[in-house]
Amino acid sequence: MQDPNLIRNFCIIAHIDHGKSTIADRLIEFTGALSLREMSAQVLDNMDIEKERGITIKAQTAAMQYKAKDGKVYLLNLIDTPGHVDFSYEVARSLQACEGALLVVDAAQGVEAQTVANVYLAVEANLEIIPVLNKIDLPSADIDGTMLQIEEELGIDTTNVVKASAKAGIGIEEILEAIVKHIPPPKDAQAEPLRALIFDSWFDAYLGAVSLVRVMTGEVKKGMRMKMMSTGNDFEVLKVAKLTPKLVEVSTLSCGMVGVVSGSIKTVRDTKVGDTITSATRPAPTALAGFQDAKQMVFGGIFPVESSEYTNLKDSLEKLLMNDASLTMEPESSQALGFGYRVGFLGLLHMDIIQERL
């Protein structure tokens, strides 16, 4: 069993293009979680569209073993969150699964809009924030100016700021040491009934609906019955694993750990982001706070070019619905365009991405 005092759960928050995914790559490389042969640039962005646009859409995690300078081996769980405003509900849930955050700021561009928005979310979730100045090797980097900005605009103390350049590999070990030193371990609640927070879910052709969870209290064991607290449905746990970003099967996830749980669940609608998983035989009295259904902000009509393609469109949309619980769709018909669907999205970027994935 993993000692909770040697676990650190953290995420990286940053404005778009400030080098978040590159820092994640360097940390994974430094701790040897993936061999060099398996490394690819932006290793956590595993959808092609994420790499192409250079953005992170779904939350991903990586479990890394790190031997610190004090001689102990720590389990570091990096939870990679989306940085774009359309996905802010996913960000808020991912932050709930952490105890600390690395705030990455580009030394050449300074603090930007999305940095501020994400810092507010992190402060609301009571996270310990470690500022990291990235790209310090650029000729246009203004280190002192950016540090002043962090103090004045965000009100964050920069005495333990880490100066780094992910591209050149500067300051990576210092970041790891700062995580071990400043981020608090999860609280030990192994004896209490199970409560696990779902902060992402997706559909797998072999496993069904898979949930990415952070165990807050108790433990998840393979073979037990789990129950979703928002719907009351219960399922058998068939697979428990941790991501190092690749799946590694384990028999239990103990308190404080982050990993993947799947059962015989047919649709992602049953594993909503923000929901609490508990044990069906010994349920927890209350769910974890903060669960809400996703709100759609942008609606668009999607129609096939030829009416014979209607069933294809329907199948494709249903597949996307299996993977993305924040989409809604209802049939719609118009005299000019024929039959199609009216689809609800979180925002314009979300709509763009769905169009491309269709």
Side-chain angles (χ1 to χ4, degrees):
M1 199 200 106
Q2 176 78 31
D3 174 11
N5 289 322
L6 296 180
I7 301 179
R8 297 289 182 272
N9 292 318
F10 70 100
C11 58
I12 304 180
I13 49 181
H15 190 80
I16 307 151
D17 284 346
H18 279 208
K20 186 171 63 167
S21 294
T22 320
I23 282 196
D25 289 354
R26 287 298 154 285
L27 294 177
I28 290 168
E29 217 169 89
F30 191 92
T31 55
L34 285 178
S35 65
L36 279 172
R37 186 176 61 81
E38 296 165 314
M39 278 299 292
S40 67
Q42 297 172 315
V43 98
L44 291 174
D45 291 347
N46 58 12
M47 288 164 33
D48 290 338
I49 178 167
E50 291 187 312
K51 288 198 172 138
E52 174 192 319
R53 290 183 172 227
I55 53 175
T56 307
I57 301 163
K58 298 290 260 182
Q60 284 289 343
T61 62
M64 305 176 276
Q65 301 276 351
Y66 172 61
K67 188 168 188 202
K69 288 180 177 158
D70 60 8
K72 296 179 186 150
V73 177
Y74 291 87
L75 173 69
L76 306 180
N77 289 314
L78 159 61
I79 295 167
D80 189 25
T81 58
H84 201 279
V85 59
D86 285 9
F87 305 107
S88 59
Y89 177 68
E90 296 199 351
V91 174
R93 292 292 73 79
S94 302
L95 294 184
Q96 223 182 330
C98 308
E99 272 82 35
L102 296 181
L103 168 67
V104 177
V105 180
D106 182 329
Q109 292 179 316
V111 174
E112 294 193 67
Q114 205 59 48
T115 321
V116 182
N118 284 341
V119 166
Y120 282 143
L121 285 172
V123 171
E124 261 173 46
N126 292 325
L127 300 190
E128 182 64 44
I129 297 175
I130 302 173
V132 176
L133 284 188
N134 192 21
K135 311 193 189 181
I136 55 165
D137 55 336
L138 288 182
S140 59
D142 173 10
I143 295 175
D144 298 332
T146 308
M147 279 170 64
L148 209 98
Q149 256 193 324
I150 294 177
E151 291 208 340
E152 286 182 352
E153 292 185 20
L154 304 173
I156 293 170
D157 181 23
T158 55
T159 43
N160 53 12
V161 69
V162 183
K163 302 186 179 89
S165 163
K167 209 165 208 157
I170 306 167
I172 300 302
E173 191 173 4
E174 285 77 5
I175 294 177
L176 289 163
E177 282 298 321
I179 292 168
V180 169
K181 262 204 211 79
H182 302 300
I183 293 179
K187 65 174 204 293
D188 189 357
Q190 188 72 25
E192 295 177 31
L194 165 69
R195 286 195 305 179
L197 171 79
I198 301 179
F199 59 92
D200 195 9
S201 60
W202 63 91
F203 191 79
D204 181 289
Y206 298 104
L207 302 170
V210 183
S211 312
L212 198 51
V213 302
R214 152 77 199 269
V215 183
M216 295 297 192
T217 59
E219 60 182 9
V220 182
K221 276 198 174 81
K222 194 174 166 176
M224 68 180 272
R225 306 265 326 158
M226 60 176 173
K227 175 173 147 197
M228 306 294 164
M229 289 187 91
S230 76
T231 57
N233 299 342
D234 68 70
F235 305 96
E236 186 184 351
V237 178
L238 297 177
K239 185 172 182 146
V240 178
K242 61 181 193 187
L243 286 166
T244 68
K246 51 179 198 292
L247 279 181
V248 177
E249 279 208 53
V250 289
S251 59
T252 41
L253 287 177
S254 55
C255 173
M257 286 179 73
V258 172
V260 169
V261 175
S262 76
S264 43
I265 307 175
K266 300 284 185 294
T267 148
V268 179
R269 303 273 150 187
D270 281 330
T271 56
K272 292 190 175 122
V273 170
D275 197 2
T276 307
I277 295 180
T278 186
S279 152
T281 48
R282 184 180 163 221
T286 54
L288 298 162
F291 172 67
Q292 34 173 281
D293 275 328
K295 288 189 185 66
Q296 286 73 32
M297 297 296 179
V298 174
F299 291 88
I302 295 186
F303 293 90
V305 179
E306 290 169 15
S307 52
S308 58
E309 294 288 303
Y310 178 73
T311 45
N312 275 353
L313 175 75
K314 181 170 178 243
D315 290 348
S316 309
L317 275 172
E318 275 170 2
K319 273 190 191 135
L320 282 175
L321 278 176
M322 275 177 155
N323 251 316
D324 191 342
S326 52
L327 269 183
T328 57
M329 66 180 230
E330 46 187 68
E332 182 178 58
S333 64
S334 94
Q335 288 181 340
L337 298 168
F339 290 103
Y341 284 96
R342 181 172 169 198
V343 185
F345 309 95
L346 296 174
L348 291 171
L349 179 75
H350 191 203
M351 179 162 86
D352 253 15
I353 286 164
I354 295 296
Q355 278 180 0
E356 250 180 73
R357 289 178 68 187
L358 278 174

